[in-house]
Amino acid sequence: MSLPPFSASLPDGSPSQLPFRVAVVGAGWSGLACAEALSASAQAGGAIRGGRMAITLIEAAPQAGGRARGLSWLPEGWADTEALPIDNGQHLLIGAYTATRDLLRRTGVADEAWQQYPLHWVVPGAAHASGTDIHPDLRPGLNPGLANQHRHQPLRQEAHARLLVVPSDGGVKRLLKSALPQTLPAGYAGWPLAWQLSLAKTLARGWQTDWSAQGTAEAWWKQQSVPPELLRYFWKPMVEGALNTPFAEASARVALQVIKDSLLGPAHASDTLHPVQSLTAQAVGPITQALQQRGVQLVFGCRVVGITARHHKAADSVTAVTEAGPATGADPAHSAHPAKPNDALGWFLQFHPTSQTKAAESGLTEALFDAVVLALPARGCRTIAFDLPDSLGRTRSGEYGAARDGLSAFAQERHRWDTVHGLGVTTLYAALRPDQAARAGLSPEVLRPVSVTASRPHPESGSTVDSTDSVAQGDTGSGVAMVLARPEGPQGQVIAAVASATARENEAETHQLLQAAVSEVLAPRLGDDTFAKIPLRTTHDYQATWACTADHVDSGAAWGPSALGPAGLYRAGDDLTPGYPACIESAVRGGVQTAQAVIAQAMRK
């Protein structure tokens, strides 16, 4: 569906009958959430120009989902019909992601499409290849309905491993029940009393300080005199997984907010959620289909490189130049047309030369939008060439700096983008056939932090990394990977090992750590000979999230506004909701927040 040519007025001269045109640039989770909220509002009607809103969602990639989407993996030697669903990096959703769950429900995703379990956290011990299997119905806290819908292999005994099961009850009741004696599977011990008391003390301290703190998470947690093992195998991987930032640099303020929302949140807030297949099958795909059904124009494979402001009475066309090369768009000389009080500010998009044909076919090259939402990370926004009128604060040199009334809001936000730097997530996937999955006995509800310091070799690669867990007194250094099982399907099961806050220069070390972590979990269950034949696949995303460091948060630069200053120019992203780290939930919240700002503008028109 192409947008019709924009007209400044209808034959009867009634501007209220014009559709309000919105372009959402970027179809990651924030862009999808923004477009969904806008389309829901337009569908409901109301005061937005008689309910008429034309929404276009533009994505440079060939598919939606951004950095949290599904992939299909066909391991070497497997039949074509045995392709396994994975994601482009393992993501873990929790019950506290209320905005995300609301988005899924509004777009027709049934709760049954996601498996939900109370949090099971194993502090590692030595795994036994011939452990006692526990029937799924005996697992503490497992939702009986889910146990019937999705049959999984039983938990495997792990000698000396300590298992914490966090019930689904809300608030303090959840923690009280988790501290009581629990019926645990054979081979698992509960947490020692000292750990339980330490957990209670840490949460009480967070409550006393109103869940607010300056400085790093490592410094804050060490002040609580947490036992070294608990620090290394529980708090450190939890904080690093949630913030994707090294424990020694992560913001204590944001870490405490995450703990409050999950461990002390309402009922089911700390539960873990897993898509039955993948993020695309159980989330991105249904959301995209819902947008199409609501009349949203979806344009994939079309890269926006520039944005030009234009008052609606001007209509020249020219060429602008961006870092990515020349792009056809609106005339920078538009500032020769002085703004009048009743003029409306519109926006033209400029496209990369490789996207020109696609943009023209979609009716975008000359489309004038009332609002543009940049649903891009800060680094993506930095590559966009902006052409704004002098009246909005552009200096004669073309820089967006000091205007007569001081630094413009737009200039401040552009400066904030420059302070944001990214960190990576690396995931190693291991593919198990059904019989191997049965022997491994790994279930999605269990999270296993694994520390490996040097060297059990992976039989296939020859990498040498010791399999001995070592916990130095107070040591919270690197070397911990999170291992979890994805839901089992007819083709088999995928086991994921995840390393947080990774960097390209440490790629070899990270890969070695993840291989050793997978070996630590699977080799004792399957035997070295079988494990040597397990297919492995690694995904790297070295700009997965923004670094949620204490310096960045405490300086006030971590979160920005939805409105960028000039009327009709907005941004959606995972760095708009104060207190939240970069995650799917913050991206969804940012998208909805920006949609609300756009709707408010539309209602004022």
Side-chain angles (χ1 to χ4, degrees):
M1 179 187 72
S2 296
L3 293 175
F6 184 86
S7 173
S9 62
L10 295 180
D12 63 2
S14 173
S16 64
Q17 295 181 10
L18 295 175
F20 187 86
R21 290 181 155 191
V22 185
V24 180
V25 180
W29 280 79
S30 196
L32 290 171
C34 183
E36 190 281 331
L38 290 171
S39 63
S41 178
Q43 200 173 48
I48 304 176
R49 292 193 179 184
R52 299 182 64 206
M53 179 181 284
I55 305 163
T56 301
L57 181 61
I58 306 169
E59 169 59 47
Q63 71 284 313
R67 288 182 153 78
R69 67 182 188 277
L71 302 174
S72 181
W73 174 28
L74 181 62
E76 185 177 355
W78 290 36
D80 292 343
T81 57
E82 297 178 313
L84 294 164
I86 60 172
D87 297 317
N88 65 327
Q90 182 61 43
H91 298 267
L92 182 66
L93 277 67
I94 60 174
Y97 283 14
T98 54
T100 304
R101 302 193 73 182
D102 287 346
L103 171 63
L104 296 176
R105 289 172 180 140
R106 288 195 305 269
T107 51
V109 178
D111 288 348
E112 292 74 21
W114 289 70
Q115 297 179 12
Q116 180 172 343
Y117 303 97
L119 175 64
H120 289 55
W121 194 286
V122 172
V123 173
H128 281 202
S130 57
T132 302
D133 290 342
I134 308 302
H135 191 276
D137 292 342
L138 299 181
R139 295 179 205 158
L142 179 61
N143 183 319
L146 287 176
N148 292 330
Q149 294 165 14
H150 309 290
R151 304 305 298 177
H152 298 292
Q153 296 305 320
L155 295 178
R156 178 75 65 179
Q157 173 183 349
E158 294 179 63
H160 311 300
R162 298 189 178 274
L163 174 64
L164 174 70
V165 180
V166 181
S168 297
D169 303 77
V172 177
K173 185 178 179 182
R174 172 188 297 123
L175 296 176
L176 291 175
K177 288 185 69 173
S178 67
L180 295 174
Q182 297 175 325
T183 302
L184 298 176
Y188 286 91
W191 278 21
L193 179 60
W195 291 12
Q196 294 280 8
L197 293 175
S198 176
L199 175 62
K201 176 185 174 183
T202 301
L203 296 175
R205 181 57 180 164
W207 188 284
Q208 291 170 356
T209 59
D210 196 26
W211 305 100
S212 180
Q214 300 288 307
T216 68
E218 182 181 60
W220 191 90
W221 257 270
K222 283 190 174 182
Q223 289 174 1
Q224 314 314 313
S225 301
V226 177
E229 262 195 317
L230 188 61
L231 191 64
R232 184 172 182 84
Y233 289 114
F234 183 69
W235 290 121
K236 178 180 185 288
M238 178 176 283
V239 170
E240 290 188 343
L243 276 62
N244 194 41
T245 303
F247 194 52
E249 302 172 23
S251 164
R253 171 190 166 187
V254 177
L256 288 172
Q257 181 68 44
V258 170
I259 300 304
K260 173 190 174 185
D261 290 346
S262 56
L263 293 184
L264 285 178
H268 301 287
S270 61
D271 290 359
T272 59
L273 291 94
H274 307 263
V276 173
Q277 294 174 307
S278 71
L279 286 172
T280 291
Q282 275 73 50
V284 174
I287 296 171
T288 304
Q289 292 171 10
L291 294 178
Q292 288 178 312
Q293 292 169 0
R294 296 178 190 178
V296 174
Q297 181 188 22
L298 304 179
V299 182
F300 296 108
C302 198
R303 182 181 173 191
V304 174
V305 295
I307 300 175
T308 299
R310 177 65 61 89
H311 293 285
H312 282 191
K313 291 186 179 180
D316 301 325
S317 93
V318 292
T319 296
V321 177
T322 73
E323 293 179 5
T328 300
D331 187 354
H334 66 282
S335 57
H337 302 275
K340 295 182 180 179
N342 295 327
D343 282 353
L345 191 64
W347 302 92
F348 285 107
L349 300 179
Q350 300 167 348
F351 300 91
H352 191 270
T354 59
S355 301
Q356 287 296 325
T357 301
K358 183 74 170 182
E361 292 173 349
S362 303
L364 300 179
T365 52
E366 296 184 7
L368 185 61
F369 294 95
D370 294 280
V372 172
V373 177
L374 291 175
L376 303 172
R379 63 186 174 278
C381 292
R382 289 197 298 260
T383 67
I384 301 293
F386 295 90
D387 191 2
L388 307 181
D390 292 333
S391 59
L392 295 179
R394 190 184 66 174
T395 63
R396 290 189 178 185
S397 66
E399 296 296 325
Y400 298 90
R404 285 179 298 178
D405 297 330
L407 198 64
S408 69
F410 180 68
Q412 290 182 39
E413 182 61 1
R414 282 188 58 141
H415 174 71
R416 190 187 73 84
W417 296 343
D418 292 335
T419 69
V420 177
H421 71 276
L423 286 172
V425 173
T426 301
T427 305
L428 178 69
Y429 291 112
L432 305 182
R433 293 187 180 276
D435 62 315
Q436 295 168 339
R439 290 169 57 193
L442 296 174
S443 299
E445 67 264 35
V446 180
L447 304 183
R448 290 177 172 81
V450 178
S451 175
V452 190
T453 52
S455 165
R456 168 197 279 278
H458 182 273
E460 204 172 77
S461 67
S463 299
T464 56
V465 182
D466 191 78
S467 62
T468 304
D469 290 344
S470 66
V471 184
Q473 291 297 317
D475 174 30
T476 59
S478 60
V480 176
M482 185 64 71
V483 178
L484 65 156
R486 294 172 65 89
E488 186 178 351
Q491 305 95 325
Q493 186 179 32
V494 173
I495 309 302
V498 185
S500 300
T502 59
R504 191 180 302 276
E505 54 268 27
N506 299 324
E507 182 173 311
E509 296 173 17
T510 301
H511 190 65
Q512 193 177 57
L513 164 69
L514 294 177
Q515 283 191 338
V518 171
S519 175
E520 187 75 24
V521 173
L522 289 180
R525 291 169 165 81
L526 302 177
D528 284 343
D529 291 342
T530 299
F531 179 69
K533 302 173 184 177
I534 297 297
L536 303 177
R537 172 172 173 171
T538 305
T539 65
H540 302 278
D541 186 349
Y542 291 120
Q543 294 291 328
T545 70
W546 53 274
C548 191
T549 64
D551 290 344
H552 194 51
V553 171
D554 295 346
S555 70
W559 301 284
S562 293
L564 294 180
L569 188 58
Y570 301 89
R571 181 165 171 266
D574 58 12
D575 58 344
L576 303 185
T577 308
Y580 279 79
C583 60
I584 289 177
E585 176 71 2
S586 60
V588 171
R589 286 176 178 263
V592 173
Q593 172 184 317
T594 299
Q596 292 171 342
V598 173
I599 291 167
Q601 176 195 346
M603 294 181 69
R604 290 193 301 268
K605 283 284 186 177

